[in-house]
Amino acid sequence: TAYEIYQCDWSSDVCSSDLSEERPALDAGWRLLAFVVSLLPAIFWLQDLYDGLLARPWAAMIRDSGLWSMRFLVLGLCLSPLTEMSGARWPTALRRMIGLFGAFYAALHLYVWAREYQFDWSFLVDETLQRLYLAMGAAALLLLAPLAATSPTIMHRALGVARWRRLHLLMYPTVGAAFAHFALVRGLRRAEVAVDFALLAFCALYRVMRKQA
């Protein structure tokens, strides 16, 4: 139905229509607030860049854009179990926005990384092929692109619910590759890496248990 197509969530193979027959209600003001809050890291970077507060602006933006992309991708996966376990419908209304911000910061991450090396694509490709953490990051970006591109409602309708849901199963290997890139760069002993691993393991276990139930 139209509601099934609208409510499908790009960050999960679970449609919100499986949970409720009604479109999840969330006040437009709350949606706007979530949008502005999600955009704040990029706004702060631009302000710091304009004010000349960053000693190595591109290196700082590479680090922080990667952090925020990972945070949004993990949060996007966690919202599905949260919706089902809590019975609350408001997370469903935010899942698409959260996922798209994950893609936005990933694209920004790629841009500032290329900018740091003056867009020397031959060098960047060579580095990617030689370094595992860069290869994992590139794989995550390539997998993320079709997910973001098919997020609009018109693409839901064009693909149909079944094909759209199969395509968006790519979210799991996408986040897995992104986490591998993140962990290799940050190191396994960092607290945020450990937290992300625990959350992703929980989401994977929850999905397996849900399928078996």
Side-chain angles (χ1 to χ4, degrees), residues 62-90:
I62 290 171
R63 181 191 65 243
D64 291 345
S65 60
L67 280 171
W68 281 104
S69 178
M70 193 70 229
R71 289 166 181 169
F72 279 110
L73 292 176
V74 172
L75 178 59
L77 282 186
C78 289
L79 287 179
S80 291
L82 176 62
T83 299
E84 295 188 32
M85 294 174 67
S86 68
R89 294 188 299 160
W90 64 264

Side-chain angles (χ1 to χ4, degrees), residues 104-154:
F104 166 72
Y105 284 110
L108 183 60
H109 187 60
L110 173 63
Y111 171 80
V112 294
W113 175 63
R115 174 62 180 79
E116 170 77 349
Y117 295 99
Q118 303 297 317
F119 300 104
D120 185 348
W121 294 107
S122 60
F123 168 77
L124 295 175
V125 170
D126 186 58
E127 285 289 290
T128 300
L129 294 176
Q130 293 188 42
R131 302 182 188 277
L132 179 60
Y133 75 94
L134 291 177
M136 297 305 296
L141 280 167
L142 289 174
L143 291 170
L144 190 56
L147 299 180
T150 56
S151 180
T153 303
I154 190 173

Side-chain angles (χ1 to χ4, degrees), residues 12-59:
S12 172
D13 60 322
V14 179
C15 290
S16 60
S17 58
D18 297 332
L19 311 176
S20 170
E21 294 180 358
E22 300 179 0
R23 176 178 171 177
L26 188 67
D27 184 84
W30 287 107
R31 289 174 183 267
L32 179 60
L33 178 61
F35 180 86
V36 172
V37 169
S38 299
L39 200 57
L40 283 178
I43 294 173
F44 290 150
W45 296 331
L46 289 176
Q47 183 64 45
D48 289 345
L49 183 64
Y50 178 79
D51 292 340
L53 299 179
L54 300 175
R56 295 183 58 201
W58 303 116

Side-chain angles (χ1 to χ4, degrees), residues 120-199:
D120 185 348
W121 294 107
S122 60
F123 168 77
L124 295 175
V125 170
D126 186 58
E127 285 289 290
T128 300
L129 294 176
Q130 293 188 42
R131 302 182 188 277
L132 179 60
Y133 75 94
L134 291 177
M136 297 305 296
L141 280 167
L142 289 174
L143 291 170
L144 190 56
L147 299 180
T150 56
S151 180
T153 303
I154 190 173
M155 294 303 299
H156 295 195
R157 296 195 179 101
L159 291 173
V161 173
R163 282 185 294 177
W164 187 91
R165 291 178 69 179
R166 286 196 297 271
L167 173 63
H168 281 246
L169 287 174
L170 285 175
M171 191 58 190
Y172 295 96
T174 299
V175 178
F179 176 76
H181 169 74
F182 179 63
L184 288 169
V185 171
R186 300 287 290 175
L188 296 176
R189 295 185 179 182
R190 294 293 183 97
E192 185 162 352
V193 174
V195 170
D196 284 347
F197 177 80
L199 290 172

